[in-house]
Amino acid sequence: MSVDLAQPVDGGASDEPNFDPYAAAGGAGSEEGTDAVFTLTGGDWDEIARELASAEEGEPVEERIVVNMGPQHPSTHGVLRLVVETEGETVTEVRCGIGFLHTGIEKNLEYRNWTQGCTFVTRMDYTTPLFQEVAYCLAVEKLLGVEEQIPERASVIRVLLMELNRIASHMVCIATGGMEMGALSAMIFGFRERELVLDIFEMITGLRMNHAFIRPGGVSQDLPPGAVDKIREFLALMPTRMKDIEALCNENPIFKGRTEGVGYLDLTGCMALGITGPPLRATGLPHDLRKSQPYCGYENYDFEVVTWDTSDSYGRYRIRMDEVRQSLRIIEQCLEKLKPGPVMIEDRKIAWPAQLALGGDGMGNSLDHIRHIMGESMEALIHHFKLVTEGFHVPPGQVYVGIESPKGELGCHAVSDGGTRPYRVHFRDPSFNNLQAVSVMAEGGMIADLIVAVASLDPVMGGVDR
């Protein structure tokens, strides 16, 4: 702790064991009450006494200011509180304060059946909802032992949606990071491109975010008519929109001055702290789970793992821009791989009805399925009722599944006790792990650079405080 000087020292300090700093400061305990006034912020009394004595002798007293930055959305990306100690404009120490959302998602999963869990996990990192859904469903399918039974069309749709989501997430990162540096045009461009993706999501899933569209065994329904054409229009438009952002930022001397060498974190630091995603690839290491531990058939797609070698905020920006282009390549291949077929596993004990169509009441009902369970088969009605209200049983065991989200490795650890509800589900969210690097990246730099360093990690606090 420190002592803040309200006025120059006017005498009264002493090294004697019984020295009273309040009396020396003319506060409580002073008979005269006419000396200089100090504001003591706590700490060891002997240390405070020494500082006062050194100030009396004309020696400079270290002036440190501890401030709370956040929680607020601009600069701290939501409910992130940064406890920052500064000397002037220089950051000497920074600590992350988390835990302000109190969503309790992981605990809530223990009171819902396995399929209902999709509705919860999609809300963690709200910029990458489909990645949480895929990681969770892959873990459930691994516990069930049905990985090889997932229809190919369902896997292709999962990859298609994840890569669209990757583009939307990167656009949010570039938009918000630009805004925090004062580049408001970057924010406008980034959110403009994100809207294109959200329009596609709304057409396919019915929602712009928090979809609960990926289900254990496949997806909730097939692509609607016109979805493929809309995606092809996006593929044709997005490259031209990317040029707008690159023309604004790539060689902009102000943008480069704010990002080059800022938030430096080399490979050694990333390995020590468990940092993944663009911050790791910006050190030159081509680590991507889509290549090293393929899932959902990623081994059948042709794309490159983008790296940079600057280990700074500028390199992370360039990686995200290049990864958008790689995602566009993968989406094109997804459209080529879309062959007619089922989108839900055939096992009726697991599969929820996925042959959905918009009913006359505006709800997504499969009319043939409703006709069957309501008018043709009592057994089918009973089965449907049990599946929806109780869910399916998952064999006892525990698994871990990791996938490559836009922010890094997203892992799902699921534990089953043999019932219809999870015993425990825990996520390794990359935002949580990557935030460990804030102090290493920011200490010794300027306060303004702290904002850029945090933005380059692209944290979302919904994933941090689950």
Side-chain angles (χ1 to χ4, degrees):
M1 299 298 291
S2 62
V3 55
D4 295 331
L5 302 183
Q7 298 180 23
V9 172
D10 195 21
S14 171
D15 289 327
E16 298 177 4
N18 297 324
F19 168 67
D20 184 353
Y22 280 120
S30 170
E31 296 179 359
E32 300 179 4
T34 58
D35 293 332
V37 178
F38 299 93
T39 301
L40 304 181
T41 59
D44 182 73
W45 288 114
D46 292 334
E47 180 181 348
I48 293 173
R50 285 193 296 272
E51 288 188 10
L52 292 173
S54 64
E56 178 190 12
E57 297 169 4
E59 299 178 11
V61 177
E62 180 182 357
E63 294 189 41
R64 294 170 293 174
I65 299 176
V66 179
V67 297
N68 283 312
M69 182 179 292
Q72 64 204 25
H73 212 287
S75 83
T76 59
H77 296 254
V79 287
L80 171 63
R81 170 175 171 250
L82 297 175
V83 183
V84 185
E85 182 178 290
T86 67
E87 290 185 19
E89 288 289 315
T90 302
V91 176
T92 57
E93 184 178 352
V94 58
R95 299 182 299 280
C96 296
I98 61 173
F100 295 93
L101 282 180
H102 304 302
T103 53
I105 286 175
E106 291 180 349
K107 192 65 179 176
N108 271 299
L109 290 173
E110 299 172 15
Y111 297 91
R112 302 295 188 275
N113 66 46
W114 291 93
T115 303
Q116 289 173 325
C118 300
T119 309
F120 284 88
V121 300
T122 188
R123 286 167 164 77
M124 293 192 304
D125 183 337
Y126 24 80
T127 65
T128 61
L130 290 158
F131 287 89
Q132 279 95 238
E133 295 176 29
V134 169
Y136 173 75
C137 289
L138 289 177
V140 176
E141 290 160 5
K142 192 171 183 180
L143 282 169
L144 289 167
V146 298
E147 305 103 300
E148 303 301 324
Q149 300 178 36
I150 308 303
E152 181 182 358
R153 186 175 176 88
S155 293
V156 173
I157 292 175
R158 288 179 175 183
V159 173
L160 173 69
L161 294 176
M162 280 192 289
E163 294 308 317
L164 285 168
N165 202 170
R166 192 182 307 277
I167 294 173
S169 176
H170 283 342
M171 288 296 103
V172 170
C173 176
I174 293 167
T176 54
M179 173 194 66
E180 289 158 7
M181 290 185 287
L184 298 185
S185 295
M187 180 189 71
I188 293 170
F189 288 155
F191 278 108
R192 180 186 68 178
E193 277 43 282
R194 178 181 182 242
E195 285 298 310
L196 299 175
V197 178
L198 296 188
D199 287 344
I200 295 173
F201 286 162
E202 188 173 9
M203 182 180 191
I204 294 174
T205 72
L207 295 166
R208 289 160 52 88
M209 55 196 298
N210 302 338
H211 312 278
F213 184 78
I214 314 295
R215 304 283 178 85
V219 297
S220 65
Q221 65 188 69
D222 205 345
L223 298 179
V228 172
D229 293 336
K230 193 173 184 68
I231 294 172
R232 292 196 186 279
E233 292 174 5
F234 171 76
L235 293 177
L237 177 62
M238 192 62 186
T240 62
R241 295 291 183 85
M242 296 282 292
K243 292 178 182 178
D244 291 341
I245 303 175
E246 291 174 332
L248 177 69
C249 299
N250 282 14
E251 300 302 326
N252 186 320
I254 299 176
F255 183 85
K256 294 181 74 173
R258 290 298 311 276
T259 55
E260 285 187 328
V262 173
Y264 183 84
L265 184 67
D266 60 14
L267 178 59
T268 302
C270 287
M271 299 300 287
L273 296 172
I275 308 302
T276 55
L280 176 60
R281 291 190 285 275
T283 67
L285 182 67
H287 176 70
D288 191 313
L289 293 180
R290 294 175 294 176
K291 288 286 190 182
S292 59
Q293 300 175 25
Y295 52 92
C296 292
Y298 266 111
E299 64 274 16
N300 301 319
Y301 294 86
D302 179 27
F303 67 98
E304 299 173 6
V305 178
V306 181
T307 60
W308 209 255
D309 60 0
T310 57
S311 303
D312 59 7
S313 299
Y314 182 75
R316 294 166 204 140
Y317 154 75
R318 293 297 297 266
I319 280 180
R320 290 187 175 99
M321 292 297 290
D322 290 339
E323 284 188 355
V324 168
R325 287 196 165 83
Q326 297 302 317
S327 292
L328 293 173
R329 284 179 59 185
I330 296 174
I331 292 169
E332 274 191 61
Q333 297 171 60
C334 287
L335 296 182
E336 296 172 0
K337 293 177 181 292
L338 273 176
K339 307 299 181 186
V343 295
M344 179 56 72
I345 192 172
E346 292 183 2
D347 189 343
R348 295 295 100 186
K349 293 182 179 179
I350 300 172
W352 280 41
Q355 297 75 33
L356 302 180
L358 193 63
D361 56 357
M363 304 296 288
N365 298 319
S366 173
L367 301 181
D368 291 338
H369 178 72
I370 293 174
R371 186 180 300 111
H372 179 61
I373 66 174
M374 297 301 292
E376 300 175 3
S377 173
M378 175 60 72
E379 291 76 13
L381 176 62
I382 294 172
H383 172 73
H384 179 86
F385 179 81
K386 293 284 286 183
L387 185 64
V388 171
T389 59
E390 182 180 304
F392 49 79
H393 288 264
V394 174
Q398 61 178 329
V399 298
Y400 176 84
V401 173
I403 67 173
E404 190 69 34
S405 90
K407 299 167 175 53
E409 179 177 345
L410 172 67
C412 178
H413 176 220
V415 183
S416 172
D417 60 0
T420 58
R421 300 183 299 184
Y423 177 78
R424 182 76 171 96
V425 176
H426 176 65
F427 275 80
R428 180 212 186 272
D429 193 281
S431 291
F432 178 80
N433 290 74
N434 291 355
L435 275 177
Q436 296 180 94
V438 169
S439 59
V440 179
M441 294 164 60
E443 290 176 1
M446 308 297 284
I447 294 177
D449 293 340
L450 169 60
I451 305 300
V452 178
V454 172
S456 71
L457 292 175
D458 189 21
V460 170
M461 301 310 293
V464 175
D465 178 19
R466 297 178 298 284

